[in-house]
Amino acid sequence: MKSNLTRLRKAQRSLSRKRKGSNRRRKARANVARLHARVANLRRDLLDKTTAMLAHTYADISIEDLNVAGMVKNHGLAQSIQDAAFAEFRRQLTYKTARTGTRLHVIDRWHPSSKTCSNCGTVKTKLSLSERVSTIATSADCPSTVI
């Protein structure tokens, strides 16, 4: 994908330098169109294969309703987030899970999933961004306690 995007950028720069109405410009336009189609097909193929694999492999699938508009404001991640096409991913997953009988759960964006212990359900009130492992202070009823 990355190499195709680089080729597309280079082809678009080359196209912009061609004289309007020339045969070389016509050929450059065809090349840019071909590369656009290739990138679009790669994105579509990845989404189709991933959603089909998920729908056929799992009986329950949970996805989170994300604030994509807010995430795209981070320009370092914007390209990758838009390439992921979360809305199209969710749309495809919705109809493919309905077709295969799989249950799809859409989790609210404010649900404290990262703060919740998967074993006992204890919710940690303060969780900093730097924390990767949740530690609960000596809870005897939760065997997944990390001390």
Side-chain angles (χ1 to χ4, degrees):
M1 177 67 122
K2 198 170 199 172
S3 64
N4 282 299
L5 287 173
T6 305
R7 288 173 53 202
L8 177 62
R9 249 189 315 274
K10 186 176 177 181
Q12 285 177 322
R13 263 197 320 267
S14 174
L15 172 64
S16 71
R17 295 184 183 119
K18 303 287 188 258
R19 181 174 292 154
K20 293 189 179 178
S22 68
N23 281 334
R24 289 187 183 202
R25 183 178 174 88
R26 183 179 46 79
K27 289 178 186 176
R29 279 183 62 196
N31 188 30
V32 168
R34 197 168 29 255
L35 287 169
H36 268 297
R38 172 103 175 117
V39 168
N41 288 338
L42 283 171
R43 287 180 176 140
R44 189 177 327 112
D45 184 56
L46 178 70
L47 282 175
D48 281 336
K49 288 180 179 176
T50 305
T51 53
M53 183 275 300
L54 289 172
H56 289 293
T57 307
Y58 299 103
D60 279 321
I61 300 173
S62 298
I63 58 173
E64 188 175 358
D65 182 27
L66 297 171
N67 178 17
V68 178
M71 293 167 62
V72 171
K73 290 180 183 176
N74 179 349
H75 295 294
L77 299 173
Q79 178 73 48
S80 299
I81 291 168
Q82 288 177 334
D83 279 345
F86 293 133
E88 178 64 14
F89 186 83
R90 180 175 172 178
R91 185 191 70 79
Q92 285 189 18
L93 204 55
T94 301
Y95 82 80
K96 287 179 184 180
T97 53
R99 193 178 354 171
T100 59
T102 304
R103 287 186 305 255
L104 178 67
H105 308 281
V106 179
I107 309 299
D108 181 47
R109 70 178 66 166
W110 304 115
H111 180 73
S113 59
S114 300
K115 298 178 179 183
T116 307
C117 176
S118 62
N119 194 23
C120 65
T122 305
V123 177
K124 187 171 184 177
T125 55
K126 279 289 204 189
L127 185 69
S128 67
L129 289 174
S130 62
E131 280 188 73
R132 296 293 180 209
V133 177
S134 178
T135 56
I136 303 169
T138 60
S139 174
D141 57 335
C142 183
S144 68
T145 302
V146 178
I147 300 174

